[in-house]
Amino acid sequence: MSKRCFYETLGVARGAGADEVKTAFRKLAMQYHPDKNPGDSSCEHKFKEINEAYDVLKDADRRAAYDRYGHQAFEANGGRGFDAGFSASFTDVFDELFGDFMGGRRGGGRGRGQDLRYNLEITLEDAYAGKAEQIRVPGTVSCEPCGGSGAEAGSRPVSCTTCGGAGRVRAQQGFFTIERTCPTCQGQGRIIKNPCRACSGTGREERERTLEVTIPKGVEDGTRIRLSGEGEAGARGAPPGDLYIFLSVKPHDFFQREGNDLHCRVPVSLTLAALGGQIEVPTLSGATARLSIPEGAQSGRQFRLKGKGMPTLRGASVGDLYVRCAVETPVNLTRRQKELLREFEAEGAGNNHPDCAGFFERVKSFFDSAKS
């Protein structure tokens, strides 16, 4: 029975790139893996076929030979067949699928330390001006007595004889090879015969550290700051992880932020709104800005103070401050004040309150038309 075309087996065109071939192989390998289809001989046969095809097509030289001579390139002239190359093919896809899980690294298993998260709450003023903040971070650091090696002073770790320092061992199961963590060294690749008494051979010790975090101008709620190498110490001399500072900005009593713009509500007296004038508006810089209110300003009218908002994170520009007027109705009037308001009303309120007069005229017209 003639073999099926390797390109058809993987479901790719002859001109497919290496990445496309790899993607197709990974998908099919996971679909027909014997562990997912126990007792299914057809899936086992299919699994062999796709691994054989990938073993040839993943290698540029072998693929070129196959394109020119077909299956004969690996039958009559001593070319490597499926049985010799299968283990390597399966190991490749296994590493691609699971090798980076939890930051794992082959070759001793000495992966970096874990990353840490620190939640830091700041004020809107801090986000505006930036600041240097000191934080206390609990965690593990490299053991000082042993220098992080885990071995007692005067000694050093030795290479594991079981895995030869690789941290992983392989076992043949049927027609494929399984790779697992070395049971002797637990994936470290090294064995400590004389463990450090201070850290019990881990190379790490618990300690709270004080770090200084620079908060740049313009940061927003949810901004993340990365401090490289300030995470958990790696085991037995492995590099440390990173520390991520997650910022949250407290709500402000006066300002609301929208992007790089600020919004605020300012109460304005009835007389100031009617006659016009100037008011002083606070800003996050600590100074005040003068805002001119025109005659007849209505409640809800918005004014813009350019360049009085938040700076951008990179400092390229500054947002604006939007001030919304809230005209305040006077309360606790004296008898004389009430008399003055009645005199004002009698002078011709229709001309002074055009919106009110127009509204009631429209209401009257509505009811008149409804009656007719």
Side-chain angles (χ1 to χ4, degrees):
M1 180 178 179
S2 60
K3 288 186 178 181
R4 186 181 179 189
C5 172
F6 287 159
Y7 291 101
E8 292 181 4
T9 299
L10 296 182
V12 297
R14 283 188 170 270
D19 290 340
E20 186 178 350
V21 171
K22 182 187 295 184
T23 300
F25 167 64
R26 293 174 63 182
K27 181 179 179 181
L28 292 172
M30 296 300 292
Q31 179 181 352
Y32 292 101
H33 195 286
D35 289 348
K36 287 190 174 183
N37 305 275
D40 191 334
S41 58
S42 62
C43 286
E44 183 177 331
H45 178 71
K46 179 70 174 179
F47 191 63
K48 285 185 176 182
E49 283 188 334
I50 61 178
N51 275 279
E52 181 183 13
Y54 180 65
D55 189 50
V56 171
L57 298 185
K58 73 174 183 179
D59 183 276
D61 293 334
R62 303 187 75 218
R63 181 175 178 176
Y66 176 76
D67 289 343
R68 185 172 184 179
Y69 301 108
H71 295 294
Q72 293 181 352
F74 309 104
E75 293 175 356
N77 60 0
R80 189 176 69 179
F82 166 70
D83 290 337
F86 170 71
S87 295
S89 298
F90 181 73
T91 301
D92 286 345
V93 73
F94 187 85
D95 289 343
E96 288 164 11
L97 292 173
F98 306 109
D100 293 332
F101 180 67
M102 295 297 290
R105 286 169 171 77
R106 300 185 67 192
R110 300 173 61 227
R112 62 194 291 271
Q114 291 185 347
D115 294 334
L116 294 178
R117 171 174 178 153
Y118 188 95
N119 297 324
L120 179 61
E121 189 177 51
I122 62 173
T123 64
L124 189 60
E125 287 83 357
D126 294 336
Y128 174 84
K131 67 178 299 188
E133 179 82 4
Q134 284 193 337
I135 61 174
R136 298 183 66 84
V137 182
T140 58
V141 297
S142 180
C143 175
E144 290 185 1
C146 67
S149 68
E152 190 66 33
S155 65
R156 63 174 55 188
V158 297
S159 179
C160 175
T161 57
T162 302
C163 63
R168 306 185 68 83
V169 293
R170 293 182 178 183
Q172 190 76 28
Q173 293 187 5
F175 63 91
F176 60 92
T177 299
I178 296 295
E179 186 179 84
R180 59 188 177 87
T181 301
C182 175
T184 303
C185 65
Q186 303 301 317
Q188 293 296 318
R190 300 180 302 171
I191 295 177
I192 298 176
K193 294 185 176 181
N194 299 309
C196 172
R197 285 172 289 182
C199 65
S200 301
T202 63
R204 299 179 291 187
E205 57 182 345
E206 295 285 340
R207 186 188 305 166
E208 187 177 65
R209 295 168 293 150
T210 300
L211 302 174
E212 185 171 281
V213 182
T214 300
I215 301 172
K217 298 179 181 180
V219 293
E220 297 186 43
D221 190 80
T223 297
R224 186 182 68 175
I225 299 175
R226 173 175 169 263
L227 298 183
S228 179
E230 296 295 350
E232 295 274 11
R236 298 177 183 176
D242 299 329
L243 173 63
Y244 290 90
I245 312 294
F246 285 78
L247 300 178
S248 60
V249 181
K250 298 178 183 177
H252 199 273
D253 293 335
F254 187 67
F255 297 106
Q256 294 80 44
R257 182 178 183 177
E258 291 185 7
N260 293 316
D261 294 329
L262 292 174
H263 295 260
C264 68
R265 175 183 175 276
V266 176
V268 176
S269 68
L270 181 64
T271 54
L272 178 61
L275 302 177
Q278 293 185 333
I279 60 174
E280 298 290 331
V281 180
T283 65
L284 279 180
S285 66
T288 57
R290 181 167 293 182
L291 176 64
S292 296
I293 305 295
E295 292 184 9
Q298 301 297 309
S299 186
R301 181 169 177 178
Q302 186 169 266
F303 300 91
R304 184 180 74 157
L305 294 175
K306 190 174 182 181
K308 298 299 182 181
M310 295 290 295
T312 58
L313 188 57
R314 300 183 184 277
S317 60
V318 180
D320 302 324
L321 171 60
Y322 291 89
V323 180
R324 187 177 298 275
C325 288
V327 179
E328 184 178 21
T329 302
V331 297
N332 301 322
L333 299 176
T334 66
R335 179 181 296 180
R336 178 56 181 159
Q337 288 172 329
K338 292 178 181 179
E339 290 176 355
L340 291 173
L341 285 177
R342 291 189 184 100
E343 291 177 12
F344 169 75
E345 185 73 15
E347 285 292 327
N351 294 329
N352 302 121
H353 302 91
D355 286 346
C356 288
F359 173 75
F360 287 111
E361 285 293 333
R362 291 193 298 272
V363 171
K364 185 177 180 299
S365 299
F366 172 77
F367 285 108
D368 289 343
S369 62
K371 292 178 181 178
S372 60

Short mmCIF file of all heavy atoms in Angstrom, two decimals, residues 269-311:
data_model
loop_
_atom_site.label_atom_id
_atom_site.label_comp_id
_atom_site.label_asym_id
_atom_site.label_seq_id
_atom_site.Cartn_x
_atom_site.Cartn_y
_atom_site.Cartn_z
N SER A 269 -23.50 82.45 42.28
CA SER A 269 -24.65 83.16 42.86
C SER A 269 -25.56 83.68 41.76
O SER A 269 -25.15 83.90 40.62
CB SER A 269 -24.17 84.31 43.74
OG SER A 269 -23.56 85.32 42.95
N LEU A 270 -26.80 83.90 42.14
CA LEU A 270 -27.79 84.38 41.18
C LEU A 270 -27.40 85.74 40.61
O LEU A 270 -27.51 85.98 39.40
CB LEU A 270 -29.16 84.46 41.86
CG LEU A 270 -30.33 84.92 40.99
CD1 LEU A 270 -30.59 83.93 39.88
CD2 LEU A 270 -31.59 85.10 41.84
N THR A 271 -26.93 86.63 41.46
CA THR A 271 -26.56 87.96 40.98
C THR A 271 -25.33 87.91 40.07
O THR A 271 -25.26 88.62 39.07
CB THR A 271 -26.28 88.88 42.18
OG1 THR A 271 -25.30 88.26 43.04
CG2 THR A 271 -27.55 89.14 42.97
N LEU A 272 -24.35 87.06 40.41
CA LEU A 272 -23.16 86.95 39.56
C LEU A 272 -23.53 86.39 38.20
O LEU A 272 -23.04 86.84 37.16
CB LEU A 272 -22.11 86.07 40.23
CG LEU A 272 -20.82 85.82 39.44
CD1 LEU A 272 -20.11 87.14 39.15
CD2 LEU A 272 -19.89 84.87 40.16
N ALA A 273 -24.40 85.38 38.18
CA ALA A 273 -24.82 84.81 36.90
C ALA A 273 -25.60 85.82 36.07
O ALA A 273 -25.49 85.85 34.84
CB ALA A 273 -25.68 83.57 37.16
N ALA A 274 -26.37 86.67 36.73
CA ALA A 274 -27.17 87.66 36.00
C ALA A 274 -26.34 88.83 35.52
O ALA A 274 -26.49 89.30 34.39
CB ALA A 274 -28.30 88.15 36.90
N LEU A 275 -25.46 89.32 36.37
CA LEU A 275 -24.69 90.52 36.05
C LEU A 275 -23.33 90.23 35.44
O LEU A 275 -22.70 91.11 34.84
CB LEU A 275 -24.50 91.36 37.32
CG LEU A 275 -25.78 91.80 38.02
CD1 LEU A 275 -25.46 92.55 39.30
CD2 LEU A 275 -26.64 92.65 37.10
N GLY A 276 -22.82 88.99 35.60
CA GLY A 276 -21.50 88.66 35.10
C GLY A 276 -20.43 89.05 36.09
O GLY A 276 -20.65 89.81 37.02
N GLY A 277 -19.26 88.51 35.92
CA GLY A 277 -18.15 88.81 36.82
C GLY A 277 -17.07 87.76 36.71
O GLY A 277 -17.02 86.99 35.74
N GLN A 278 -16.21 87.69 37.67
CA GLN A 278 -15.10 86.74 37.66
C GLN A 278 -15.09 85.93 38.95
O GLN A 278 -15.46 86.42 40.02
CB GLN A 278 -13.77 87.47 37.49
CG GLN A 278 -13.59 88.13 36.13
CD GLN A 278 -12.22 88.73 35.98
OE1 GLN A 278 -11.56 89.11 36.95
NE2 GLN A 278 -11.75 88.82 34.73
N ILE A 279 -14.65 84.68 38.82
CA ILE A 279 -14.50 83.80 39.97
C ILE A 279 -13.13 83.14 39.92
O ILE A 279 -12.50 83.06 38.84
CB ILE A 279 -15.60 82.71 40.02
CG1 ILE A 279 -15.54 81.83 38.74
CG2 ILE A 279 -16.98 83.31 40.20
CD1 ILE A 279 -16.49 80.65 38.78
N GLU A 280 -12.67 82.67 41.05
CA GLU A 280 -11.41 81.95 41.16
C GLU A 280 -11.70 80.46 41.25
O GLU A 280 -12.46 80.02 42.11
CB GLU A 280 -10.61 82.40 42.39
CG GLU A 280 -10.22 83.88 42.38
CD GLU A 280 -9.16 84.18 41.32
OE1 GLU A 280 -8.37 83.27 41.00
OE2 GLU A 280 -9.13 85.32 40.83
N VAL A 281 -11.08 79.69 40.35
CA VAL A 281 -11.29 78.24 40.31
C VAL A 281 -10.00 77.54 40.72
O VAL A 281 -8.93 77.84 40.17
CB VAL A 281 -11.70 77.78 38.89
CG1 VAL A 281 -11.90 76.27 38.86
CG2 VAL A 281 -12.96 78.50 38.45
N PRO A 282 -10.05 76.61 41.67
CA PRO A 282 -8.82 75.89 42.08
C PRO A 282 -8.37 74.93 40.99
O PRO A 282 -9.18 74.44 40.18
CB PRO A 282 -9.27 75.13 43.34
CG PRO A 282 -10.74 74.96 43.17
CD PRO A 282 -11.22 76.19 42.46
N THR A 283 -7.08 74.66 40.95
CA THR A 283 -6.52 73.69 40.02
C THR A 283 -5.65 72.71 40.80
O THR A 283 -5.27 72.97 41.95
CB THR A 283 -5.66 74.38 38.93
OG1 THR A 283 -4.52 74.99 39.55
CG2 THR A 283 -6.47 75.44 38.20
N LEU A 284 -5.29 71.60 40.16
CA LEU A 284 -4.48 70.59 40.82
C LEU A 284 -3.05 71.03 41.07
O LEU A 284 -2.34 70.44 41.87
CB LEU A 284 -4.48 69.29 40.00
CG LEU A 284 -5.69 68.37 40.17
CD1 LEU A 284 -5.54 67.14 39.29
CD2 LEU A 284 -5.86 67.96 41.63
N SER A 285 -2.63 72.09 40.39
CA SER A 285 -1.27 72.58 40.60
C SER A 285 -1.14 73.30 41.95
O SER A 285 -0.03 73.58 42.39
CB SER A 285 -0.88 73.54 39.48
OG SER A 285 -1.67 74.72 39.51
N GLY A 286 -2.28 73.59 42.59
CA GLY A 286 -2.25 74.31 43.85
C GLY A 286 -2.58 75.77 43.71
O GLY A 286 -2.95 76.45 44.68
N ALA A 287 -2.48 76.30 42.50
CA ALA A 287 -2.82 77.69 42.24
C ALA A 287 -4.29 77.79 41.83
O ALA A 287 -4.96 76.77 41.64
CB ALA A 287 -1.92 78.26 41.14
N THR A 288 -4.78 79.01 41.68
CA THR A 288 -6.15 79.22 41.21
C THR A 288 -6.12 79.84 39.82
O THR A 288 -5.15 80.51 39.44
CB THR A 288 -6.93 80.13 42.17
OG1 THR A 288 -6.23 81.39 42.30
CG2 THR A 288 -7.08 79.48 43.53
N ALA A 289 -7.17 79.60 39.08
CA ALA A 289 -7.31 80.17 37.74
C ALA A 289 -8.53 81.08 37.73
O ALA A 289 -9.56 80.76 38.34
CB ALA A 289 -7.46 79.07 36.69
N ARG A 290 -8.43 82.22 37.05
CA ARG A 290 -9.52 83.18 37.01
C ARG A 290 -10.43 82.86 35.82
O ARG A 290 -9.96 82.69 34.69
CB ARG A 290 -8.97 84.60 36.90
CG ARG A 290 -10.04 85.69 36.87
CD ARG A 290 -9.44 87.05 37.09
NE ARG A 290 -8.90 87.17 38.45
CZ ARG A 290 -8.35 88.28 38.93
NH1 ARG A 290 -8.25 89.36 38.17
NH2 ARG A 290 -7.88 88.31 40.16
N LEU A 291 -11.72 82.79 36.11
CA LEU A 291 -12.71 82.46 35.08
C LEU A 291 -13.72 83.58 34.98
O LEU A 291 -14.29 84.01 36.00
CB LEU A 291 -13.42 81.15 35.42
CG LEU A 291 -14.56 80.72 34.49
CD1 LEU A 291 -14.02 80.43 33.09
CD2 LEU A 291 -15.27 79.48 35.05
N SER A 292 -13.94 84.09 33.78
CA SER A 292 -14.90 85.17 33.55
C SER A 292 -16.27 84.57 33.26
O SER A 292 -16.42 83.74 32.36
CB SER A 292 -14.46 86.05 32.38
OG SER A 292 -13.24 86.72 32.68
N ILE A 293 -17.28 85.02 34.02
CA ILE A 293 -18.66 84.59 33.82
C ILE A 293 -19.40 85.70 33.08
O ILE A 293 -19.49 86.83 33.58
CB ILE A 293 -19.35 84.30 35.17
CG1 ILE A 293 -18.55 83.28 35.98
CG2 ILE A 293 -20.78 83.82 34.95
CD1 ILE A 293 -18.46 81.93 35.37
N PRO A 294 -19.93 85.44 31.90
CA PRO A 294 -20.64 86.49 31.16
C PRO A 294 -22.01 86.77 31.77
O PRO A 294 -22.55 85.97 32.54
CB PRO A 294 -20.77 85.89 29.76
CG PRO A 294 -20.80 84.42 29.98
CD PRO A 294 -19.90 84.17 31.17
N GLU A 295 -22.58 87.92 31.43
CA GLU A 295 -23.92 88.26 31.89
C GLU A 295 -24.93 87.22 31.40
O GLU A 295 -24.86 86.76 30.27
CB GLU A 295 -24.33 89.65 31.37
CG GLU A 295 -23.54 90.80 31.96
CD GLU A 295 -24.06 92.14 31.48
OE1 GLU A 295 -25.13 92.18 30.83
OE2 GLU A 295 -23.40 93.16 31.73
N GLY A 296 -25.86 86.90 32.26
CA GLY A 296 -26.93 85.98 31.88
C GLY A 296 -26.50 84.54 31.76
O GLY A 296 -27.15 83.75 31.06
N ALA A 297 -25.42 84.17 32.41
CA ALA A 297 -24.96 82.76 32.36
C ALA A 297 -26.01 81.86 32.99
O ALA A 297 -26.52 82.13 34.08
CB ALA A 297 -23.63 82.63 33.08
N GLN A 298 -26.31 80.76 32.31
CA GLN A 298 -27.33 79.84 32.78
C GLN A 298 -26.70 78.68 33.55
O GLN A 298 -25.54 78.31 33.30
CB GLN A 298 -28.16 79.30 31.61
CG GLN A 298 -28.86 80.36 30.80
CD GLN A 298 -29.89 81.13 31.63
OE1 GLN A 298 -30.73 80.52 32.29
NE2 GLN A 298 -29.80 82.45 31.59
N SER A 299 -27.47 78.11 34.44
CA SER A 299 -26.98 76.96 35.19
C SER A 299 -26.71 75.80 34.24
O SER A 299 -27.51 75.51 33.34
CB SER A 299 -28.03 76.54 36.23
OG SER A 299 -27.54 75.51 37.06
N GLY A 300 -25.57 75.14 34.41
CA GLY A 300 -25.18 74.03 33.54
C GLY A 300 -24.25 74.44 32.42
O GLY A 300 -23.71 73.59 31.72
N ARG A 301 -24.06 75.75 32.23
CA ARG A 301 -23.15 76.20 31.16
C ARG A 301 -21.73 75.79 31.51
O ARG A 301 -21.29 75.87 32.66
CB ARG A 301 -23.24 77.70 30.98
CG ARG A 301 -22.33 78.21 29.85
CD ARG A 301 -22.61 79.64 29.51
NE ARG A 301 -21.69 80.12 28.47
CZ ARG A 301 -21.74 81.35 27.95
NH1 ARG A 301 -22.66 82.21 28.37
NH2 ARG A 301 -20.87 81.71 27.03
N GLN A 302 -21.00 75.35 30.51
CA GLN A 302 -19.65 74.82 30.72
C GLN A 302 -18.61 75.74 30.11
O GLN A 302 -18.78 76.25 29.00
CB GLN A 302 -19.54 73.41 30.11
CG GLN A 302 -18.23 72.71 30.39
CD GLN A 302 -18.28 71.24 30.01
OE1 GLN A 302 -18.57 70.38 30.82
NE2 GLN A 302 -17.99 70.96 28.76
N PHE A 303 -17.53 75.96 30.84
CA PHE A 303 -16.42 76.79 30.38
C PHE A 303 -15.14 75.96 30.40
O PHE A 303 -14.97 75.07 31.23
CB PHE A 303 -16.24 78.01 31.29
CG PHE A 303 -17.45 78.89 31.35
CD1 PHE A 303 -18.43 78.67 32.32
CD2 PHE A 303 -17.64 79.93 30.45
CE1 PHE A 303 -19.56 79.48 32.40
CE2 PHE A 303 -18.76 80.74 30.51
CZ PHE A 303 -19.72 80.52 31.49
N ARG A 304 -14.24 76.26 29.47
CA ARG A 304 -12.99 75.51 29.37
C ARG A 304 -11.80 76.37 29.75
O ARG A 304 -11.65 77.49 29.26
CB ARG A 304 -12.79 74.97 27.95
CG ARG A 304 -11.54 74.09 27.82
CD ARG A 304 -11.36 73.59 26.42
NE ARG A 304 -10.88 74.62 25.51
CZ ARG A 304 -10.23 74.39 24.36
NH1 ARG A 304 -10.00 73.15 23.99
NH2 ARG A 304 -9.87 75.39 23.59
N LEU A 305 -10.98 75.84 30.63
CA LEU A 305 -9.70 76.46 30.96
C LEU A 305 -8.60 75.62 30.32
O LEU A 305 -8.27 74.52 30.78
CB LEU A 305 -9.51 76.53 32.48
CG LEU A 305 -10.49 77.44 33.23
CD1 LEU A 305 -10.29 77.34 34.74
CD2 LEU A 305 -10.32 78.89 32.77
N LYS A 306 -8.04 76.08 29.24
CA LYS A 306 -7.09 75.32 28.45
C LYS A 306 -5.79 75.09 29.21
O LYS A 306 -5.25 76.01 29.84
CB LYS A 306 -6.81 76.03 27.14
CG LYS A 306 -6.01 75.20 26.15
CD LYS A 306 -5.90 75.90 24.81
CE LYS A 306 -5.14 75.05 23.80
NZ LYS A 306 -5.00 75.73 22.49
N GLY A 307 -5.31 73.83 29.16
CA GLY A 307 -4.02 73.50 29.76
C GLY A 307 -4.05 73.38 31.27
O GLY A 307 -2.99 73.33 31.89
N LYS A 308 -5.24 73.32 31.87
CA LYS A 308 -5.35 73.21 33.33
C LYS A 308 -5.77 71.81 33.77
O LYS A 308 -6.14 71.61 34.92
CB LYS A 308 -6.36 74.24 33.86
CG LYS A 308 -5.98 75.69 33.58
CD LYS A 308 -4.67 76.08 34.22
CE LYS A 308 -4.34 77.53 33.98
NZ LYS A 308 -3.03 77.92 34.59
N GLY A 309 -5.68 70.85 32.85
CA GLY A 309 -6.06 69.48 33.19
C GLY A 309 -4.86 68.64 33.60
O GLY A 309 -3.89 69.14 34.18
N MET A 310 -4.91 67.34 33.26
CA MET A 310 -3.85 66.40 33.63
C MET A 310 -2.78 66.34 32.55
O MET A 310 -3.09 66.38 31.35
CB MET A 310 -4.44 65.00 33.82
CG MET A 310 -5.41 64.88 34.97
SD MET A 310 -4.62 65.01 36.58
CE MET A 310 -3.58 63.55 36.58
N PRO A 311 -1.51 66.18 32.95
CA PRO A 311 -0.47 65.95 31.94
C PRO A 311 -0.58 64.53 31.39
O PRO A 311 -1.08 63.63 32.06
CB PRO A 311 0.83 66.14 32.74
CG PRO A 311 0.46 65.77 34.14
CD PRO A 311 -0.98 66.20 34.32
#
